[in-house]
Amino acid sequence: RHLANGLGNAAVVETVDGGVVLLKRSGQVGEFPFAIVLPGGHPEPSKLGLDSIGTWKRVVGEGPDGVPRSAEVMDELFSSISAEVHEETGIPLDSLLEPVLLGFTRRVENHRPCMVFKVATTLQRAEVEAAYLSEGVQDRFESTKLYTLSASELIAQVQRSDAGVPGDHVGGVKLYEAHLALQT
């Protein structure tokens, strides 16, 4: 009845002054309590009326506004990461730039696939930290701390075997490292 093995998403959030955002998950979450993670979550197929296999067939063809349903699905895949970053960090949506898809990873534990994006913000590290401490963090219960590291510190952090970073996020940072190498 329901879509199995949901698609996750994660973002390497870059600040304008060279920071990268990580979160420490709280003990109140079901997956990876107390882990260090990239902001993220999952797209919301229910926003498109896709809450079961039975409704999936509506993806074919056009929606009521004449827009191909596949375009609506693509829009949800890309806009959902910005929404997740906003909900988990408090960074205003209007300060997030267009997400760049870095690639896909897969969890070791349950094999759930994860889309990994780079999302740049027009905010500086201190502004991101202030946004996290504000009342605007919708998913406050999911994390207890926000960290901003340099890209090299991020890469070094996740390479440590005791870093407490889930495998799909380690893979996400490796995709980010490859992206950075292509930029030079």
Side-chain angles (χ1 to χ4, degrees):
R1 173 165 145 46
H2 296 283
L3 300 175
N5 211 9
L7 175 64
N9 61 27
V12 177
V13 179
E14 292 180 327
T15 64
V16 72
D17 57 348
V20 179
V21 175
L22 287 173
L23 296 169
K24 175 147 177 111
R25 288 180 56 87
S26 75
Q28 299 179 40
V29 294
E31 291 184 318
F32 303 108
F34 309 111
I36 304 295
V37 297
L38 300 168
H42 56 84
E44 304 286 348
S46 61
K47 287 183 180 177
L48 304 176
L50 302 173
D51 56 0
S52 71
I53 295 297
T55 59
W56 181 252
K57 64 184 176 184
R58 292 186 350 204
V59 171
V60 179
E62 295 181 350
D65 57 359
V67 175
R69 295 288 291 180
S70 58
E72 292 175 2
V73 172
M74 286 297 291
D75 184 57
E76 175 58 22
L77 291 175
F78 278 76
S79 65
S80 65
I81 191 59
S82 296
E84 291 287 353
V85 168
H86 168 68
E87 291 166 7
E88 292 188 3
T89 67
I91 298 172
L93 284 170
D94 62 1
S95 72
L96 296 173
L97 303 181
E98 188 77 23
V100 174
L101 179 64
L102 298 177
F104 293 81
T105 61
R106 188 176 69 162
R107 286 195 177 158
V108 175
E109 294 80 10
N110 61 12
H111 306 291
R112 182 173 120 179
C114 181
M115 296 177 71
V116 180
F117 294 88
K118 179 187 88 165
V119 180
T121 178
T122 58
L123 301 182
Q124 296 183 10
R125 289 180 189 204
E127 293 170 306
V128 168
E129 291 163 1
Y132 179 75
L133 295 174
S134 75
E135 299 296 317
V137 180
Q138 179 178 327
D139 293 339
R140 165 68 66 210
F141 72 96
E142 291 185 7
S143 66
T144 59
K145 186 163 177 55
L146 179 138
Y147 302 94
T148 55
L149 308 174
S150 68
S152 60
E153 290 170 328
L154 170 71
I155 292 164
Q157 170 76 15
V158 300
Q159 288 176 343
R160 294 186 15 233
S161 62
D162 66 340
V165 179
D168 56 335
H169 289 217
V170 171
V173 172
K174 288 182 181 191
L175 288 169
Y176 178 63
E177 184 177 18
H179 171 76
L180 291 177
L182 291 173
Q183 302 303 304
T184 58

